[in-house]
């Protein structure tokens, strides 16, 4: 497939590009520093002729930015993909909006780290925008609570709207296996118009 990837030079974006490339897909990577320079505000132009658009952009991790800029970028992405007449849109999401108990999201728990709060609230609001989008086959892929570079095992467990933990209560996925999950979703389209999460 022909795939347009925003945020291609980031920690997760690089691994998504590598995983898809290794599977024989044609990936066009877009970021502010190359290989194709641009951002999601140009999605209408850049996405034309592609089968799938993937967004691996995220709000700043240091909590320095309010929700508004990320939501504006999300709206621009959705509008641009629609304008380009691409049906399939997959986005890298956040774990903060996952439930730890019925009606209680991780980001709303008392011990949630303050430095990640704005990022998580922005990601949760972005999910609400996707859920209002009925004319695109979008998928929001929430990682485990901890995601960092590691080993590619090719295996992971799939969950829905709740934090996914192992028997010790840990919620972890390597960035490499998260990329595997994204690539699997590109190929199988098993979670259309909904959020899912992956962890070990």
């Amino acid at each position: 497939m022909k795939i347009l990837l925003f945020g291609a030079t980031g920690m997760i974006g690089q691994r998504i590009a590598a995983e898809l490339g290794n599977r024989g897909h044609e990936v066009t990577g877009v970021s502010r520093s190359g290989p194709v320079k641009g951002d999601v505000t140009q999605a209408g132009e850049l996405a034309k002729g592609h089968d799938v658009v993937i967004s691996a952009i995220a709000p700043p991790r240091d909590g320095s930015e309010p929700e508004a800029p990320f939501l504006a970028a999300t709206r621009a992405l959705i509008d641009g993909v629609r304008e380009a007449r691409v049906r399939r849109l997959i986005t890298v999401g956040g774990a903060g909006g996952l439930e730890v108990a019925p009606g209680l999201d991780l980001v709303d728990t008392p011990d949630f780290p303050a430095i990640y709060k704005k990022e998580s609230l922005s990601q949760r609001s972005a999910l609400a925008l996707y859920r209002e989008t009925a004319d695109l086959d979008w998928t929001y892929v929430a990682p485990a609570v901890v995601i960092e570079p590691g080993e590619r095992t090719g295996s992971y467990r799939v969950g829905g709207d709740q934090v996914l933990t192992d028997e010790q209560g840990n919620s972890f996925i390597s960035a490499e296996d998260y990329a595997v999950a994204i690539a699997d979703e590109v190929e199988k389209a098993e979670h259309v118009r909904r959020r899912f999460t992956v962890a070990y």
Side-chain angles (χ1 to χ4, degrees):
M1 284 184 270
K2 291 186 68 176
I3 300 164
L4 184 70
L5 172 63
F6 288 101
T9 57
M11 185 263 288
I12 293 173
Q14 287 181 42
R15 287 159 175 81
I16 293 172
E19 181 68 29
L20 290 168
N22 289 339
R23 297 186 186 202
H25 298 291
E26 182 183 333
V27 181
T28 301
V30 181
S31 73
R32 289 175 182 166
S33 59
V36 175
K37 287 183 171 59
D39 59 39
V40 294
T41 63
Q42 300 163 279
E45 172 190 349
L46 295 172
K48 288 177 182 174
H50 290 83
D51 301 301
V52 181
V53 174
I54 300 174
S55 173
I57 65 165
R61 299 220 74 179
D62 60 3
S64 63
E65 190 174 279
E67 290 180 53
F70 187 67
L71 293 187
T74 301
R75 285 191 188 92
L77 174 65
I78 291 170
D79 290 343
V81 170
R82 184 184 287 131
E83 178 189 332
R85 299 186 181 277
V86 178
R87 186 81 185 177
R88 192 80 173 105
L89 172 60
I90 299 173
T91 187
V92 168
L98 293 169
E99 289 186 341
V100 293
L104 178 63
D105 293 347
L106 179 63
V107 68
D108 296 323
T109 58
D111 295 331
F112 191 83
I115 193 170
Y116 299 136
K117 187 138 192 169
K118 285 183 181 178
E119 175 191 6
S120 293
L121 292 173
S122 296
Q123 290 280 23
R124 184 169 68 181
S125 296
L127 175 60
L129 290 181
Y130 285 111
R131 284 177 164 162
E132 295 170 358
T133 305
D135 59 333
L136 298 179
D137 291 338
W138 59 268
T139 301
Y140 181 105
V141 190
V145 175
V146 177
I147 178 169
E148 57 190 30
E151 181 184 357
R152 183 196 184 281
T153 69
S155 64
Y156 55 87
R157 292 184 302 134
V158 174
D161 291 320
Q162 292 77 39
V163 170
L164 198 59
T165 60
D166 61 19
E167 292 178 355
Q168 286 76 44
N170 299 312
S171 180
F172 174 74
I173 189 81
S174 72
E176 286 76 6
D177 281 334
Y178 180 78
V180 170
I182 294 273
D184 287 347
E185 182 62 23
V186 166
E187 295 176 343
K188 299 173 184 177
E190 292 181 337
H191 304 88
V192 174
R193 295 202 192 103
R194 59 194 174 106
R195 169 174 61 181
F196 76 101
T197 186
V198 291
Y200 294 128

